[in-house]
Amino acid sequence: MSVFQPHLSALGRAATIESIARTKPNTPIFDIIVIGGGITGAGIALDAASRGLKTLLLDMQDFSAGTSSRSTKLIHGGLRYLKQGDVKLVQEVGQERALLHQNAPHIVKPKKMLLPIIQEGSLGKYSTSFALFVYDLIAGVAYKEWRTMHDKAETEQLEPLLRRDILIGGGMYFEYQTDDARLTIEVLKSAVKFGAVCLNYAQVAGLEYDEKGKLCGVKIVDKLEGKAFCAYAPHIVNAAGPWVDDVRRRDHAISGKHLRLTKGVHIVIPYHKLPLQQATYFDVKDGRMVFAIPRGNNLYIGTTDTDHTARPERPETTAADVRYLLDAANDMFPDAHLSTDDVLSSWAGVRPLIQEEGKSPSEVSRRDEIFYAPSGMITIAGGKLTGFRKMAERTVDEVIKLRSKNRNITTCMTDKIKLSGGNFASPEAFEQYVAELTQIASDKGIDSEQIVELTNKYGKNTDTILHIFDEQNELPADKRKKNRTVTERLLLAELHYGIHYEMVCTLSDFLVRRTGRLYFDRPNIAQYRTLLLDEMRQLLGWNRTQTQEADTEFEQEYQAVVAFRQNTDQPDDAPLINRTERETPHTLNSLLADLSPDLLKNVTDNIQNTDQSPSDKSSSIYQYIGDLVGRFRRYL
């Protein structure tokens, strides 16, 4: 029977550390130690634990505090990879996207995405139509979500705010929106259900080797309490994201390929300042493309793509980053007149890409790769949020190959695992659950918007939060806090859940990564910040000094998302890049110039041909796709 807690609870964290600290090198209690608690490490922990491997995951910060809470928050189908000619990657991420929507429908949702076609844009009318068509086929997109093409008048009706003088038309396709940090925590909670042990604020400060020079464990420092201890396992996996090279250097195994870090910035504005009818993926004057994505009462714009040479712990949003994104949005939506004063918050993330000489940041492949060290360490680097499950599968497969004994080890099963909160028979069943819960909650004074917000974060686990909410009402009158509103009580129920089930250890854990409020509700945080601090002080047993430290640490995060207002490294009237100063065209542009509209018409006619059997139709389609792939190779 496991001595570890069945939940990801902050209250059981000290006991977990104590149990690990009692272990010895000759009697390891783990089969695998995963360094890194972002989405890649979380996926490896779930895959390994679900196959029967005793798993320990460690992160020196909070879970997902690095790259995995700072993305564009999309489960990409891979359109940009098609532009780079990476057909195989498009196919894989398309399949993974569908799986995630099935296994976590509360946090992976289809959203319409408009792709405006403009003069001197990266794609023309026919090339856009063909690219989206091939994308739908290769990525395995459901027919009901296939692209539709629109002329100028139709596109103006779909999005009245678009700049009209350069508009030619548009394509509508589907991307899947997510909350990257919440996806990570749901994967970790699922791993814990299979027996994994996961610790945040547990920094790997050193490596342990046996007499043969092979890795056998790690030295750990608990950054919350300062306790040093060791953990042992025959297999160590380095999934530290932007820090993988730091871990490799510690293992003296940095030879060969290495990381290239690039920075991506997003800004958040009020939705009413740019009330788009749907998300939009549009051209920027320097040849890149940028997303503008509505989310609740806000809209976020991103991302930039620049090399990052500083430490990855605290990437900064600069005034130049903000100016770039505002200029891009104002150029495509000229009536918006966005300014720095409209920016409510921002986030900057670092992408851990694998170095490719001679390529710009936007051109570097997002593929993952596994490195092997003489010590036995396995490193997984590169990759994208969408492909985390397959990355984990490939990594655990390599671990299993190295094992001398594979007791009760099964093959990968994560494609069939419903993630925590996502235990619904179908995405439609989730929508039915939300409707039913809205009715129940209305009797408690909770409105429909609050239920939608909760269910979109926690899925089926919203039941537990509402149970905690009810328990507050059942407290004796002398213990019940008077004059608390329904909103305050619901917020505290959410906090209780976070501490007991999601290892919330600091105010930043809750407001930044578990709920996203720092990014999407920053103007209102002052209203409940003290309430949350006081509740955390009581639940976690903080003294006055610890409470003040938690508040100070959050204040740094609170100010960091608007620090660009004091950063004047580029004036607000900095000139835009001229549309003639574009980057070298992408591989797909050259390919599409070689394709005639007739090929698109032939494939479309084939699909609409009702006289053909499904097998003949499929065969004909893939004959055309084979021709496409053959042409791709000439440009790779």
Side-chain angles (χ1 to χ4, degrees), residues 324-340:
Y324 174 89
L325 294 172
L326 290 175
D327 285 344
N330 283 328
D331 184 55
M332 185 57 66
F333 309 102
D335 291 338
H337 304 296
L338 299 174
S339 70
T340 302

Side-chain angles (χ1 to χ4, degrees), residues 579-631:
R579 207 170 277 281
T580 56
E581 299 175 6
R582 307 186 67 84
E583 294 179 348
T584 303
H586 290 288
T587 299
L588 185 61
N589 295 342
S590 302
L591 165 68
L592 291 170
D594 185 44
L595 296 173
S596 71
D598 292 336
L599 180 57
L600 173 61
K601 184 177 185 303
N602 287 340
V603 180
T604 304
D605 290 346
N606 180 272
I607 287 180
Q608 295 174 345
N609 185 354
T610 57
D611 294 332
Q612 280 187 304
S613 69
S615 59
D616 289 341
K617 185 179 295 187
S618 176
S619 177
S620 298
I621 291 171
Y622 280 94
Q623 180 180 344
Y624 289 116
I625 296 301
D627 180 50
L628 169 70
V629 174
R631 297 189 195 195

Side-chain angles (χ1 to χ4, degrees), residues 220-436:
I220 307 163
V221 174
D222 175 12
K223 294 176 69 176
L224 296 181
E225 301 296 336
K227 180 182 177 66
F229 60 104
C230 292
Y232 302 97
H235 304 289
I236 313 293
V237 172
N238 173 15
W243 295 272
V244 295
D245 280 355
D246 290 351
V247 179
R248 293 170 73 201
R249 287 188 191 94
R250 194 180 292 276
D251 188 41
H252 308 292
I254 196 61
S255 60
K257 292 184 178 180
H258 60 279
L259 289 186
R260 176 178 181 176
L261 303 183
T262 69
K263 184 180 76 169
V265 168
H266 297 77
I267 57 175
V268 180
I269 63 173
Y271 177 72
H272 69 83
K273 296 295 295 186
L274 187 58
L276 300 183
Q277 302 305 300
Q278 63 276 305
T280 305
Y281 187 36
F282 60 94
D283 280 282
V284 183
K285 290 185 175 182
D286 62 356
R288 297 189 63 256
M289 297 188 75
V290 165
F291 290 99
I293 302 174
R295 174 167 164 164
N297 296 323
N298 302 288
L299 178 140
Y300 62 96
I301 304 168
T303 177
T304 61
D305 202 353
T306 56
D307 282 312
H308 182 76
T309 56
R311 290 293 303 167
E313 285 84 356
R314 292 277 185 253
E316 296 180 350
T317 299
T318 67
D321 295 324
V322 174
R323 186 72 262 158
Y324 174 89
L325 294 172
L326 290 175
D327 285 344
N330 283 328
D331 184 55
M332 185 57 66
F333 309 102
D335 291 338
H337 304 296
L338 299 174
S339 70
T340 302
D341 292 339
D342 295 317
V343 181
L344 301 175
S345 65
S346 69
W347 67 86
V350 175
R351 306 178 189 90
L353 308 179
I354 299 171
Q355 175 68 29
E356 293 182 81
E357 298 298 335
K359 290 191 175 183
S360 71
S362 296
E363 292 173 324
V364 176
S365 172
R366 270 52 177 172
R367 277 197 169 276
D368 58 277
E369 193 164 341
I370 295 175
F371 306 139
Y372 306 89
S375 66
M377 177 182 286
I378 293 177
T379 294
I380 176 75
K384 289 289 290 181
L385 176 68
T386 309
F388 81 89
R389 193 194 68 83
K390 290 298 291 185
M391 291 169 64
E393 179 181 350
R394 288 190 284 267
T395 304
V396 177
D397 282 347
E398 294 305 308
V399 170
I400 291 174
K401 289 177 185 177
L402 297 175
R403 290 178 59 80
S404 57
K405 295 180 180 179
N406 286 318
R407 57 161 204 323
N408 301 323
I409 304 302
T410 64
T411 57
C412 178
M413 55 186 282
T414 52
D415 58 331
K416 302 176 183 66
I417 294 175
K418 298 284 187 179
L419 296 184
S420 176
N423 191 23
F424 299 96
S426 66
E428 293 74 22
F430 167 70
E431 299 301 333
Q432 180 63 32
Y433 167 75
V434 175
E436 293 172 355

Side-chain angles (χ1 to χ4, degrees), residues 208-219:
E208 293 278 293
Y209 298 87
D210 62 20
E211 64 280 0
K212 296 180 181 178
K214 296 296 184 180
L215 269 176
C216 64
V218 295
K219 300 173 183 175

Side-chain angles (χ1 to χ4, degrees), residues 46 100 103-104 106 183 186-187 190 388 417-423:
L46 175 58
L100 276 172
N103 292 332
H106 60 303
L183 177 61
E186 299 293 33
V187 174
S190 302
F388 81 89
I417 294 175
K418 298 284 187 179
L419 296 184
S420 176
N423 191 23

